[in-house]
Amino acid sequence: MAGLNKPAIKPPAEPAPRSRAPKRAAAKGRRAPDQSTNQRFQTLDLLATLVAVLAPDGTVVFANAALEDALGISRRNITGSCLPDLFTEPLHLQNALRGIAENEFAALRYDAWLKRQGHEGLPVHVVVAQTDTVEEVIVELLPLEQQARQDREERLMDQAQVNKELIRNLAHEIKNPLGGIRGAAQLLQMDLVSKALIEYTQVIIHEADRLQLLVDRLLAPHRSPHVVGDVNIHEVCERVRSLILAEFPKGLRVVRDYDASIPEFRGDREQLIQAVLNIAHNAAQALSERVAAGDAQITFRTRVGRQVTFGKQRYRLALELHVIDNGPGVPDAIKDRIFYPLVSGRDGGSGLGLTLAQTFVQQHHGLIECESTPGQTDFKILIPLP
């Protein structure tokens, strides 16, 4: 596509040799989709990858829901169209279909760019394969960016589990001697006469209390019972909005952009309030300069995602809650580690807010993602919907 920064595309791989067989008869005219065709292939809608079933001439017989979403075109309009025309270089797929029709190979793989209406092209890995039916060819498209995202999500979830165990063990190791240190300082203070020495014991007690509070926050996700009830995500957003505006009454706008059709779902309301509050509070603190200038803005945006894949699972419907701010963005040095415990981009920050938020959302089988550039940071909470 014009103006598209394309990576080098691999040429079609050498096909696996196959014993010669009589050539298939050419397709007679365009194949019209019918209800039985949709019923035969309806299980393909459960796949996260993009799949199309073609006639030998490249006409689309069936397109699954993932392909429909990726192209931004309804299934009705995709069906009956010529799939090679949807690629920036249609010749590769045309040659692959010709080879399939002549039984030169059973399957072929190559990389290509898929056109999308109103969007940049989508880099995909294409797999063209024969089916058991003579007049049908199956084409599977694996988005390269989706594969990279799934790998990133897998690493994030594995790291979160490791962090959880590390935090819990570390917190218990700190907590055990902490009570003894505080108690000894209190006993020592009772026997002291000098005010200067008493100040030292008070420092010990104060720091012990501060560490106790930190340990309690570390253990909070493991202590708090998971109280499940019906949750309206907009009530959660409104509660967080009121808390943020109470702390930042001037210079900050909190904009609502809600999808009123989002249904209620089962979850722990208090945990979700805390998760969203941690994200929004971080955003508000990052906006300190814009708050002073009077043009700081945080947006709560809710949408319904369809056929969404995260956490190695595909969900028919999922909540997408975006917390967007117009701040300076997440520093590059910590962008890949913002959900790690004790990692903070702010002086004096505990580095626990996003870690706890990710833990609470994961307890709802969800995930938090972050995209940040100077001028806009978008934290997206994904939670499966019924």
Side-chain angles (χ1 to χ4, degrees), residues 318-346:
L319 163 69
E320 293 184 1
L321 169 56
H322 298 260
V323 181
I324 306 169
D325 70 72
N326 62 342
V330 179
D332 291 336
I334 64 169
K335 190 173 291 186
D336 295 333
R337 300 181 292 117
I338 55 174
F339 294 107
Y340 289 12
L342 308 180
V343 174
S344 176
R346 179 173 51 86

Side-chain angles (χ1 to χ4, degrees), residues 141-212:
L141 311 176
L142 307 171
L144 300 180
E145 62 181 22
Q146 178 178 322
Q147 184 63 45
R149 177 189 169 198
Q150 289 176 352
D151 292 342
R152 185 171 65 251
E153 287 179 358
E154 185 174 346
R155 290 195 303 270
L156 184 62
M157 295 185 74
D158 290 343
Q159 185 63 50
Q161 185 62 34
V162 172
N163 289 340
K164 189 186 302 183
E165 295 301 321
L166 176 63
I167 288 172
R168 182 163 54 186
N169 294 334
L170 181 62
H172 280 297
E173 290 299 323
I174 295 173
K175 185 178 178 64
N176 291 335
L178 203 55
I181 293 172
R182 190 183 193 283
Q186 286 179 314
L187 292 174
L188 181 61
Q189 181 174 295
M190 294 171 62
D191 293 335
L192 294 176
V193 178
S194 170
K195 288 186 177 181
L197 294 177
I198 290 176
E199 286 182 5
Y200 292 144
T201 58
Q202 288 177 342
V203 169
I204 295 173
I205 294 171
H206 174 75
E207 289 302 304
D209 289 340
R210 186 180 64 82
L211 285 175
Q212 180 66 54

Side-chain angles (χ1 to χ4, degrees), residues 77-149:
N77 290 332
I78 299 173
T79 303
S81 65
C82 183
L83 188 65
D85 292 342
L86 299 179
F87 289 89
T88 57
E89 298 179 359
L91 187 60
H92 291 326
L93 183 54
Q94 291 169 355
N95 291 338
L97 293 173
R98 188 177 302 112
I100 288 281
E102 296 178 356
N103 286 284
E104 294 180 358
F105 49 83
L108 180 69
R109 294 172 175 266
Y110 66 94
D111 291 343
W113 280 82
L114 188 65
K115 299 176 185 177
R116 295 191 295 175
Q117 288 186 351
H119 298 279
E120 292 184 348
L122 178 67
V124 292
H125 182 69
V126 184
V127 182
V128 186
Q130 293 179 334
T131 67
D132 295 335
T133 303
V134 175
E135 295 297 324
E136 291 172 350
V137 179
I138 191 164
V139 178
E140 185 177 12
L141 311 176
L142 307 171
L144 300 180
E145 62 181 22
Q146 178 178 322
Q147 184 63 45
R149 177 189 169 198

Side-chain angles (χ1 to χ4, degrees), residues 34 37 48 57 59 63 108 121 137 153 164 178 194 197 215 221 228 251 255 261 268 273 289 302 351 356 363 365:
D34 53 28
T37 299
D57 64 352
T59 301
L108 180 69
V137 179
E153 287 179 358
K164 189 186 302 183
L178 203 55
S194 170
L197 294 177
V215 169
V228 177
V255 179
S261 68
D268 187 322
I273 288 175
E289 292 185 4
T302 59
L356 295 177
Q363 289 178 358
H365 309 289

Side-chain angles (χ1 to χ4, degrees), residues 36 194 232 355:
S36 62
S194 170
N232 183 319
T355 302

Side-chain angles (χ1 to χ4, degrees), residues 231-234 236-237 258-259 261-265 272 276 301-306 308 310 315-322 361 364-367 380-386:
V231 176
N232 183 319
I233 193 59
H234 298 131
V236 171
C237 292
Y258 297 160
D259 180 352
S261 68
I262 296 177
E264 292 186 347
F265 58 93
L272 291 175
V276 179
R301 177 180 299 154
T302 59
R303 295 291 184 269
V304 174
R306 291 175 171 78
V308 179
F310 56 90
Y315 298 97
R316 186 177 64 86
L317 296 175
L319 163 69
E320 293 184 1
L321 169 56
H322 298 260
V361 171
H364 291 78
H365 309 289
L367 186 73
K380 179 169 69 172
I381 297 175
L382 293 165
I383 295 176
L385 290 175

